[in-house]
Structures are given as C-alpha cells and as structure tokens.
Amino acid sequence: MYVAGVDVGSTAVKAVVLLDGRIAGTNVISTGTDQEKTAFQSLSAAAQDAGVVDIEDISAMVATGYGRSMVKMADRTVTEITCHARGGRAFAEAAHVIVDIGGQDSKVIRLDEDGMVADFVMNDKCAAGTGRFLEVMAERLEVPLSDFGKMWRATRKPAMISSTCTVFAESEVVSLLSHGVAREPIIRGLCDAVADRLAGMVHRVGLATEVVMTGGVSRNDGVRLSLERKLGLKVSVPSMSQFAGAYGAAIIALELAEKGR
Ligand code: ADP
C-alpha cells in the first residue's frame, strides 16, 4: 500500500511516498507562488520515484508545513510540530530533542519517552537566524552553503557577529570584509550566531542527551558544529533530515489508511 506526506515549507516543498511503511520515493523542489501546484508537482515526482503508476493508487496523503492548508487534495492537514516529532523520532529512535531549522523558521521540540511532544518553542516571527539568513550571507560572501562546514573547520577564530537579524548581520559582514577579515572566520561567526539562538531555544525546552537536527539547515555542517560546541554534546543529523516533516506526515497517512481499511 502506498501513502504519502507532503511538507509545504516557506522555501522548499518536500514529499515522501511510503510503500508498505518504508520510504520508496522522495522529492524536494523550491516553493513556488502557487503552493497547491508545487505540492502536486512534488508529490507526483516522489510518486514516480517510488514506482507508483497512477497517483490514485496512493491510499492516503497528509499535508504539513506552513502552506499545508493550500493542499486541497490532502486527506488531512497536521501541524509541523507533530510531523517533525513523528518523522524525527522515526529517523532517530533515541531522539529526545529535535532541532528543526528551515528556510524561515526554527523550532525545538522535546519528546517524552513514548516519542510524544512534551514541549516545544518556535521562532516564526521573522527569518532572523534561519535558512534564509544563511542564504543571504552565502550570496554576500560568494560561498555555497554546502561549503560552510569546510570553511568552519578551516579556522579556529570566529569573527564576532552580534546579530541574527538579516539586515544588521549583512552590514556586519560587509564591514568585516572591508577590514580584510577572511571569509572562514566570518562564516564560523555566522554559524555561531545561529547556533547561539538555537541553543537558547534548546535550554528553554530542556537539554537532553540525544539531540537530532532536522530541516534543510541540518545539511549545513557549520551550523551543526557550532551547535555541538554551544550545547557541549553531539548533535546527530539523519541522512534524510530535510524530509523529517514529510516523513512524519506520511507515517500519519499510513495510520489513517490502516484505520480506513
Ligand atoms: P522550509 O521547510 O522552511 O521550506 P527547509 O527545511 O527545506 O525549509 O530548509 C531550507 C533551507 O535549508 C535553506 O534556506 C538553506 O539555508 C538550507 N539548505 C538546503 N540545502 C542545503 C545544503 N545542501 N547545505 C546547506 N544548507 C542547505
């Protein structure tokens, strides 16, 4: 039986198709202006990846993410907190704290022993210190985001970045560059600023030993390294971390489909 989850994020739409409970297909594309259309495109591509012949063969579909209400074809919409908690726990069984950092928001979720949401904090008021913030800095520094980890490791002395506000931090970056500061310490300083903010959120829900990072920014190794330093423990990143919300939605879709049988 095929089921699907679609996560309509502010920056990227992610879709996961399960075949008999296992991930059989995935897709990620940029969120367009027509979120319903983009969600359908992502679902279709994930379905094709999974070998689904006809989209009607998908028994149930759950939508999550910031644009979830736009997905009219979904059997149900479920909050990002619930889906990230389900997907994060399924990716990493021991997870007790999930740090999800996406394009324009970040959330930290604390799970109880059964994997249920015990507490969470969310920063969705502005893009300060999120994926978009890092994208703007990467453009300004002319360094691809995928190189941030390599650049982080190339220096021991981070530059001081005092703000996670995109506008203020960009002018700090410009000023540092004009004073001849190399890009490596600037990048490490930016990662530290993002991690500082995340660590504050982790402490608000309560630190636990098993911290798992999800969302697109979990692929930014510089941010992970800075967060490990701030928290003083290892932070794990599942290989399909950007799909945690869509995976959680697909798991809920499977439960719906099984109930309906
Ligand atoms: P949302 O769900 O809010 O749309 P995502 O969780 O998909 O966002 O994360 C999008 C962010 O992920 C981008 O803004 C970017 O900073 C980051 N990102 C995506 N791919 C990579 C990568 N390969 N390396 C580093 N960062 C990445």
Side-chain angles (χ1 to χ4, degrees), residues 229-241:
R229 289 260 167 138
K230 301 278 171 196
L231 296 177
L233 49 77
K234 193 167 162 27
V235 171
S236 54
V237 179
S239 60
M240 295 177 72
S241 56

Side-chain angles (χ1 to χ4, degrees), residues 81-92:
I81 298 293
T82 301
C83 290
H84 275 278
R86 296 294 303 271
R89 196 30 108 76
F91 277 146

